[in-house]
Structures are given as structure tokens and as C-alpha cells.
């Protein structure tokens, strides 16, 4: 739990705080209370921003200067590119030609 809490504080300045909504439908199906986190409200429309920003912030100064390379078909690459630009960290994204 401690590592998740630390990551939450680490990334907070670069992300929108999104809320959770209760889902009556899913709660009835699962026979428990189900809440849906609205991470589609993030700039890139994905929860991938959380992990991407956290990973970039954990890089050493030398690694930040050198930059990162990722292979992704979409959301991960978009999240890293967006937060890399925001943090001044070079990001190279390798994507398949079929990616939207």
C-alpha cells in the first residue's frame, strides 16, 4: 500500500483528479458495491497516464536526460509522450502501422 500511496502523491501535480461513480447495474450483477473510476477524463483519455508519469518521475537525472523508448499500439505511447513533453523527458514511441 505504501508504494501506491507514494506514487499517488508523486503524480498528483500532472493529472486530473477523477472521481468514482457508483454503478447500480454492476453492483446488482456482482452482488457488491461497484464504483467506476472516470480516468477517461484524463488528457489522453486513459488510465495509462498514471503509470506512465510515475515511471518517468522515477528515472534518474541521467536517464531523464537520455530519454525513454516504448513500443505500444496506443494508450501507453500517448501517455508517455504527453507526460514526457510535460516533464522535459525525450520519448520515442514505436507503434505498428495499424495503430489508430
Amino acid at each position: 500500500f505504501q508504494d501506491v500511496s507514494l506514487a499517488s502523491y508523486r503524480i498528483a501535480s500532472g493529472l486530473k483528479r477523477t472521481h468514482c461513480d457508483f454503478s447500480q447495474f454492476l453492483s446488482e450483477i456482482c452482488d457488491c458495491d461497484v464504483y467506476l473510476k472516470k480516468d477517461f477524463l484524463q488528457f489522453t483519455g486513459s488510465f495509462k497516464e498514471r503509470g506512465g508519469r510515475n515511471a518517468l518521475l522515477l528515472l534518474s537525472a541521467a536517464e531523464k536526460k537520455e530519454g525513454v523508448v516504448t513500443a505500444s499500439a496506443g494508450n501507453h505511447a500517448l501517455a508517455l509522450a504527453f507526460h514526457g513533453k510535460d516533464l522535459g523527458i525525450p520519448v520515442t514511441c514505436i507503434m505498428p502501422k495499424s495503430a489508430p
Side-chain angles (χ1 to χ4, degrees), residues 1-83:
F1 179 77
Q2 185 178 6
D3 57 339
V4 174
S5 294
L6 289 172
S8 176
Y9 287 108
R10 189 180 301 118
I11 66 176
S13 67
L15 293 168
K16 290 182 182 179
R17 186 173 177 115
T18 56
H19 59 280
C20 297
D21 282 343
F22 178 74
S23 171
Q24 183 71 39
F25 177 73
L26 292 176
S27 295
E28 289 175 9
I29 289 174
C30 298
D31 195 29
C32 65
D33 290 345
V34 175
Y35 292 82
L36 303 174
K37 183 115 174 92
K38 303 270 182 117
D39 272 347
F40 64 86
L41 298 172
Q42 296 296 345
F43 181 80
T44 65
S46 171
F47 69 94
K48 296 285 187 173
E49 287 194 41
R50 297 179 182 284
R53 186 171 184 88
N54 190 52
L56 292 171
L57 289 169
L58 289 172
L59 296 172
S60 69
E63 290 170 328
K64 288 177 182 176
K65 185 177 179 182
E66 187 173 326
V68 298
V69 176
T70 186
S72 167
N75 289 339
H76 178 69
L78 186 59
L80 275 183
F82 176 74
H83 288 286

